[in-house]
Structures are given as structure tokens and as C-alpha cells.
Amino acid sequence: AQTVTQSQPEMSVQEAETVTLSCTYDTSESDYYLFWYKQPPSRQMILVIRQEAYKQQNATENRFSVNFQKAAKSFSLKISDSQLGDAAMYFCAYRSANTGTASKLTFGTGTRLQVTL
Amino acid sequence: EAGVTQFPSHSVIEKGQTVTLRCDPISGHDNLYWYRRVMGKEIKFLLHFVKESKQDESGMPNNRFLAERTGGTYSTLKVQPAELEDSGVYFCASSQWVAENTEAFFGQGTRLTVV
């Protein structure tokens, strides 16, 4: 079974600064997808960024980028130029590429990000 | 386009009572998922519908939980009788396809408190 670990329950960053959220996972599969979801205080989770395991290039979405290290099974999220609206709970998630057996997401415990002035 | 809608947003019930949570997925999404987050822990998968059929219910904790998706549209998750450990936030998600890296869209969740 796959597991996802987020070792930082809480993080804080000053506005306009950069912060990195950590995520490691464990799997025996070679093909899978990784995601970062953001849950603002209003509670609806939204997808921030996704990474296909077969792609070596790290995914980037505006101020959000990932550092995907497949051999180390690490998938960290970097938020540049942090904004007050980035304050939220961030969840790292794994999904198997084997759609015949599993399409569910496996989540970590989340990291609560605070953004200060 | 309406997103995934869940209600109620909050529910407080006594131990032993019954509660029914509802999820309306995005129109046209065949795949519907239920997840649960117990305070401070990870979000855990409960089950997956493809249209009206249960594709994977391996995450359902016990037989006090009953999920239905009649007609392949909205879904309900009933807890009967509720226990204290059932407290948490229940999320519903839907997606159009299962293949590749299809995005799952989440609802706001239902916060269930069993007292």
C-alpha cells in the first residue's frame, strides 16, 4: 500500500518570501501521479499542481513549483512570492496510474501554512 | 458551472443517532468519491462510485456506513448508528474520467460532530 508523509504540521512564511513544503511517499509502483491540494479556510480543496512520475521535468504553475525526486520519493512544493491568500492547509497526494485497480487519492496529514505581513 | 456541492455543511448529532450526508457531483462526472478526515490525521479514502456502481469500497470503516448513488447522480452517505469516532470532515469529490491524471474536484466537506 502507498503512504504519503508530510512531516511539517505547520509552516509560516512572510509575505513575498519563499517557502517549501515537504512531502515524501512510499510506493512500489513505477508509474503514478502526485498532487498538491490547497484547502483555504472556506474548506473547498482545490488542485494546486500535479506531477506525472514519468516526467523528469518538474511541474510549475505560476508561483508554485515542485521538486520531484523520484529516486528519493520526495515531492516538495515551493511557493514563491507568498501572498496572504496562500494561507491554507496543503495536502500532498498520490494516485496510482493503474486505473484498473485504483483511482483513489492517498493523502498526507497536511501542512498548515500561515502567511504573515 | 456548479462545483461539487455537499450538505449539510455542519452536523452535530448524538451518539446512536443516524445522519445522512449528501453530495452532488459536477454534472456529467461519472466518478464520485467519498473521503474522510479525522481531526489532525490524513484524509482517507472511503469509496468510489462509477455511475451508480460501487467500484471500490475498501475504505469503508464498517457496516454502520452505507453509501448509495441511485441513478448515478447525487450520492448519500448514511451513518447508522453514529459513534464518537465517526466525527470528522467528510469530503466528496468527482471526476469525469479515471484515466491519466484527471483532476478530482472536491466539495467543501461536511463537518460531522458526534457527541
Side-chain angles (χ1 to χ4, degrees):
Chain A
Q2 295 81 25
T3 59
V4 176
T5 302
Q6 293 179 251
S7 59
Q8 306 155 316
E10 290 189 11
M11 292 283 285
S12 183
V13 63
Q14 280 192 323
E15 200 176 17
E17 296 297 308
T18 296
V19 65
T20 299
L21 307 185
S22 300
C23 173
T24 59
Y25 58 95
D26 189 27
T27 183
S28 59
E29 299 179 321
S30 59
D31 199 13
Y32 48 86
Y33 306 101
L34 296 166
F35 306 85
W36 277 99
Y37 278 89
K38 169 186 177 181
Q39 187 184 24
S42 63
R43 298 191 297 145
Q44 183 166 37
M45 268 204 297
I46 56 175
L47 179 65
V48 174
I49 198 165
R50 79 186 87 190
Q51 174 81 42
E52 292 87 349
Y54 62 85
K55 289 186 177 179
Q56 291 187 331
Q57 186 173 8
N58 289 324
T60 299
E61 287 288 343
N62 300 313
R63 297 182 296 106
F64 297 88
S65 61
V66 298
N67 183 3
F68 173 48
Q69 301 289 328
K70 190 171 184 179
K73 295 180 182 175
S74 171
F75 182 61
S76 60
L77 174 69
K78 185 171 83 171
I79 306 174
S80 303
D81 186 25
S82 297
Q83 301 175 358
L84 293 177
D86 295 333
M89 182 72 83
Y90 287 80
F91 292 97
C92 178
Y94 170 104
R95 180 172 173 271
S96 172
N98 184 345
T99 56
T101 60
S103 65
K104 63 188 178 188
L105 292 164
T106 299
F107 287 91
T109 51
T111 296
R112 182 172 299 282
L113 178 67
Q114 292 183 324
V115 181
T116 58
L117 292 172
Chain B
E1 177 183 312
V4 177
T5 305
Q6 292 185 246
F7 51 94
S9 56
H10 293 85
S11 180
V12 181
I13 62 171
E14 292 185 350
K15 176 182 172 181
Q17 288 187 323
T18 297
V19 63
T20 300
L21 313 181
R22 172 167 169 152
C23 169
D24 286 70
I26 292 173
S27 177
H29 282 194
D30 288 342
N31 296 279
L32 187 149
Y33 305 82
W34 283 100
Y35 292 85
R36 176 176 73 172
R37 184 175 190 234
V38 173
M39 183 62 69
K41 301 204 172 178
E42 71 271 27
I43 299 170
K44 282 194 173 180
F45 167 80
L46 296 178
L47 88 160
H48 170 209
F49 283 100
V50 177
K51 296 184 180 178
E52 67 275 9
S53 299
K54 293 177 184 175
Q55 182 76 9
D56 180 358
E57 51 184 329
S58 61
M60 293 290 263
N62 51 61
N63 59 10
R64 295 185 294 102
F65 288 75
L66 174 64
E68 294 180 323
R69 193 183 182 195
T70 306
T73 54
Y74 71 91
S75 174
T76 58
L77 180 64
K78 181 191 289 187
V79 185
Q80 178 183 30
E83 298 289 344
L84 299 179
E85 64 264 26
D86 300 333
S87 296
V89 180
Y90 290 76
F91 293 99
C92 176
S94 72
S95 67
Q96 192 167 12
W97 300 294
V98 170
E100 299 185 357
N101 61 351
T102 303
E103 179 178 352
F105 293 87
F106 283 79
Q108 288 189 312
T110 294
R111 182 176 297 277
L112 174 64
T113 303
V114 182
V115 297

